[in-house]
């Protein structure tokens, strides 16, 4: 979409390298996404626990073939701006790895983290596996990473016939020659942490607990996304806290093609309610721009959209009931499902604080979650013929991602989601929804 606010800054890999890879000690543990959506944890270096490496990991890191790790560091003490730069670099790196000559290699998500866990210790990246062990792969990686100092740190794995694996790190010296850094280090199994490594980072990377956390992200985006300033100008006009009026506020949630548009319109007509949508019309013109950005930026945009909608809810609920087509639960569930690698078992457990409503966001009286079977949802999608966002396309292509979104919805608290089967006829669903509303407000 063309911008009336000026041209968009380009995204060359070199310009996005805001963090020096050698400015911090390398994380000693890794979480590798396996086929079938499992995760395997392994450690590198002298502090490794000493357990034998998982054979599945050894098969992905060792011969035949050769594997490389590329993890994107954040500048120490860089705060929100460093997280944004690292996320954009990771996205740009993914695009480059999917091009020739590296597109023939296998690509898996890889997380690097410290043994102590905690917020701010995760580096996101990829494991690139070349089944043919071509020397062209290493040369292509050197070329990709060598056009500027800093950026992703390159590791190379080598193994033997006994499923023993070592990692060596590469560094570009004086901008001219790639050399291995230090001795190679043994790769061994590591225990699975109690929580997925990204969970402590979620409040700063997508599930923002208050308005200022999301605002800081978009403020860091102003130099390369001019529309971020326009969104912030609208947000900064809002009062710090708003309160609902005397009339009910009801939010509808659900995956795409579960009938939210039809149901919300029918319910608002029946109740004489005002129908609002998130993101609101005043910023929806920029939705495509932010949908193309990494999770941290995309979710900051949607989070701030919720606060704009909250201001509208506060005003309208003094005069009539309010129906909302999507609200905070959508913003949070998609962020959790995107950031937490692996399958359902790695989601934060029920009652974890990440599922709690933000303390400064106007809370609805009731949240209804519309659900349909995957088969029926696909039939509806095929019949719509409209352009889909990247996340909508992923819902269709990745059943595990879809399940993580659904389970995250069901774990939301204060308020929780009331599940409604939206598979029957439009009239039957409307009757069910109106019955639930009557029971809650009678």
């Amino acid at each position: 979409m063309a911008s009336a606010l000026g041209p968009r800054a380009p995204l060359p890999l070199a310009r996005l390298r805001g963090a020096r890879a050698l400015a911090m000690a390398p994380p000693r543990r890794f979480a590798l996404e396996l086929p079938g959506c499992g995760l395997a944890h392994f450690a590198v270096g002298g502090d490794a626990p000493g357990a034998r490496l998982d054979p599945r990991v050894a098969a992905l890191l060792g011969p035949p073939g050769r594997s490389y790790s590329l993890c994107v560091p954040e500048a120490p003490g860089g705060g929100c701006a460093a997280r944004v730069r690292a996320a954009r670099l990771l996205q740009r790196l993914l695009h480059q790895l999917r091009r020739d000559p590296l597109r023939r290699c296998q690509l898996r998500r890889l997380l690097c983290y410290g043994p102590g866990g905690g917020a701010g210790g995760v580096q996101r990246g990829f494991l690139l596996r070349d089944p043919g062990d071509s020397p062209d792969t290493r040369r292509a990686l050197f070329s990709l990473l060598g056009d500027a100092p800093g950026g992703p740190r390159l590791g190379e794995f080598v193994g033997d016939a006994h499923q023993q694996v070592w990692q060596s790190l590469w560094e570009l010296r004086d901008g001219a020659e790639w050399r291995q850094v230090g001795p190679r280090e043994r790769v061994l199994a590591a225990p699975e942490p109690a929580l997925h490594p990204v969970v402590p980072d979620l409040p700063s990377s997508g599930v923002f607990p208050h308005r200022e956390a999301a605002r800081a992200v978009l403020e860091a985006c102003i130099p390369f996304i001019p529309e971020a300033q326009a969104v912030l100008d609208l947000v900064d006009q809002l009062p710090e806290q708003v309160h609902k009026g005397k009339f009910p506020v009801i939010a509808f949630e659900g995956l795409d093609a579960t009938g939210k548009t039809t149901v919300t319109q029918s319910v608002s007509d029946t109740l004489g309610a005002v129908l609002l949508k998130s993101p609101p019309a005043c910023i929806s013109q920029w939705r495509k721009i932010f949908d193309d950005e990494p999770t941290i930026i995309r979710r900051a945009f949607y989070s701030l959209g919720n606060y704009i909608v909250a201001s509208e809810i506060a005003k309208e609920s003094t005069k009539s009931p309010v129906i909302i087509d999507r609200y905070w639960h959508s913003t949070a569930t998609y962020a959790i499902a995107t950031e937490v690698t692996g399958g359902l078992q790695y989601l934060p457990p029920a009652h974890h604080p990440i599922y709690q409503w933000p303390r400064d966001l106007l809370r609805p009286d009731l949240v209804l979650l519309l659900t349909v079977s995957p088969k029926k949802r696909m039939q509806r999608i095929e019949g719509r013929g409209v352009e889909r966002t990247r996340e909508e396309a992923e819902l269709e292509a990745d059943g595990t991602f879809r399940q993580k979104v659904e389970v995250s919805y069901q774990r939301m608290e204060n308020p929780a989601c009331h599940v409604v089967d939206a598979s029957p006829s439009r009239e039957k669903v409307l009757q069910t929804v109106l019955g639930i509303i009557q029971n809650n407000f009678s």
Side-chain angles (χ1 to χ4, degrees):
M1 177 184 297
S3 168
L5 300 177
R8 183 164 327 287
L11 296 174
L13 189 62
R15 288 191 58 187
L16 288 172
R17 297 169 190 254
R20 292 288 300 176
L22 299 179
M24 59 184 297
R28 308 309 296 165
R29 294 191 179 177
F30 296 77
L32 174 63
E33 195 167 46
L34 299 172
C37 298
L39 288 180
H41 297 264
F42 60 90
V44 175
D47 62 349
R52 183 174 179 81
L53 190 62
D54 186 323
R56 298 172 299 172
V57 177
L60 288 172
L61 301 184
R66 190 174 297 266
S67 293
Y68 302 86
S69 62
L70 300 100
C71 292
V72 178
E74 295 178 11
C80 187
R83 289 192 294 273
V84 168
R85 285 195 299 269
R88 297 190 90 221
L89 173 55
L90 184 70
Q91 184 182 70
R92 179 66 175 175
L93 176 64
L94 176 61
H95 293 162
Q96 297 281 5
L97 294 175
R98 285 175 170 170
R99 296 176 181 174
D100 288 331
L102 297 171
R103 65 185 303 175
R104 57 183 171 76
C105 298
Q106 302 165 1
L107 201 60
R108 298 194 179 278
R109 292 171 72 181
L110 183 68
L111 297 171
C112 310
Y113 63 98
V122 175
Q123 296 180 11
R124 293 161 175 81
F126 304 102
L127 180 82
L128 184 81
R129 178 160 181 80
D130 177 9
D133 191 11
S134 168
D136 293 338
T137 299
R138 184 192 291 166
R139 285 194 291 267
L141 289 172
F142 286 168
S143 176
L144 173 64
L145 302 178
D147 57 356
R153 194 165 195 188
L154 177 63
E156 180 178 353
F157 296 97
V158 294
D160 60 20
H162 304 289
Q163 292 193 328
Q164 297 185 98
V165 179
W166 293 263
Q167 185 194 51
S168 299
L169 295 177
W170 288 89
E171 178 188 25
L172 184 63
R173 296 287 178 87
D174 301 322
E177 182 181 7
W178 283 91
R179 296 181 182 178
Q180 290 189 352
V181 182
R184 69 180 189 177
E185 296 182 294
R186 181 81 179 273
V187 178
L188 295 169
E192 182 175 313
L195 283 175
H196 191 286
V198 305
V199 171
D201 277 343
L202 285 175
S204 62
S205 64
V207 189
F208 303 107
H210 49 80
R211 185 169 81 179
E212 284 307 308
R215 191 194 184 286
V217 172
L218 253 60
E219 190 169 28
C221 296
I222 292 173
F224 47 86
I225 307 178
E227 294 81 1
Q229 182 64 69
V231 176
L232 292 180
D233 288 343
L234 293 171
V235 171
D236 291 343
Q237 296 174 26
L238 304 175
E240 289 190 8
Q241 192 81 40
V242 295
H243 303 280
K244 68 179 280 311
K246 63 180 181 180
F247 289 92
V249 175
I250 305 164
F252 283 80
E253 298 284 4
L255 303 181
D256 292 288
T258 54
K260 291 187 305 300
T261 300
T262 301
V263 172
T264 53
Q265 187 64 63
S266 298
V267 171
S268 62
D269 290 343
T270 303
L271 299 181
V274 171
L275 176 58
L276 301 176
K277 296 185 178 183
S278 186
C282 61
I283 65 170
S284 61
Q285 60 185 310
W286 302 310
R287 183 175 179 177
K288 177 64 169 65
I289 293 169
F290 288 94
D291 278 344
D292 289 337
E293 293 292 335
T295 297
I296 184 173
I297 300 174
R298 189 164 63 249
R299 291 300 132 200
F301 169 77
Y302 284 103
S303 292
L304 294 176
N306 290 331
Y307 285 93
I308 297 173
V309 169
S311 182
E312 298 177 7
I313 295 170
K315 179 177 64 176
E316 298 296 342
S317 62
T318 63
K319 300 176 288 187
S320 68
V322 175
I323 305 298
I324 319 164
D325 184 347
R326 285 191 167 171
Y327 200 22
W328 181 80
H329 285 341
S330 286
T331 306
T333 54
Y334 279 83
I336 294 169
T338 301
E339 289 296 286
V340 175
T341 54
L344 289 174
Q345 66 270 36
Y346 302 108
L347 289 174
H351 311 303
H352 188 277
I354 204 66
Y355 299 118
Q356 297 292 321
W357 192 266
R359 62 179 181 262
D360 61 346
L361 181 63
L362 188 149
R363 191 187 309 264
D365 298 300
L366 178 65
V367 181
L368 299 179
L369 174 63
L370 303 183
T371 64
V372 297
S373 68
K375 181 179 180 180
K376 191 171 187 66
R377 201 180 70 85
M378 285 300 299
Q379 291 173 345
R380 291 180 177 180
I381 288 174
E382 292 169 357
R384 291 195 310 186
V386 297
E387 184 179 359
R388 298 187 291 273
T389 67
R390 182 173 59 190
E391 286 176 336
E392 290 168 350
E394 190 171 357
L395 282 173
E396 297 175 39
D398 187 343
T400 299
F401 178 70
R402 182 177 64 249
Q403 291 174 337
K404 287 193 292 185
V405 172
E406 292 173 334
V407 170
S408 297
Y409 267 129
Q410 294 168 15
R411 291 183 181 176
M412 292 293 160
E413 295 181 338
N414 300 321
C417 293
H418 190 120
V419 179
V420 176
D421 180 9
S423 299
S425 67
R426 179 184 309 177
E427 293 76 16
K428 180 65 174 176
V429 174
L430 178 60
Q431 182 181 7
T432 300
V433 167
L434 292 175
I436 295 170
I437 293 173
Q438 184 176 9
N439 290 339
N440 277 267
F441 297 103
S442 58

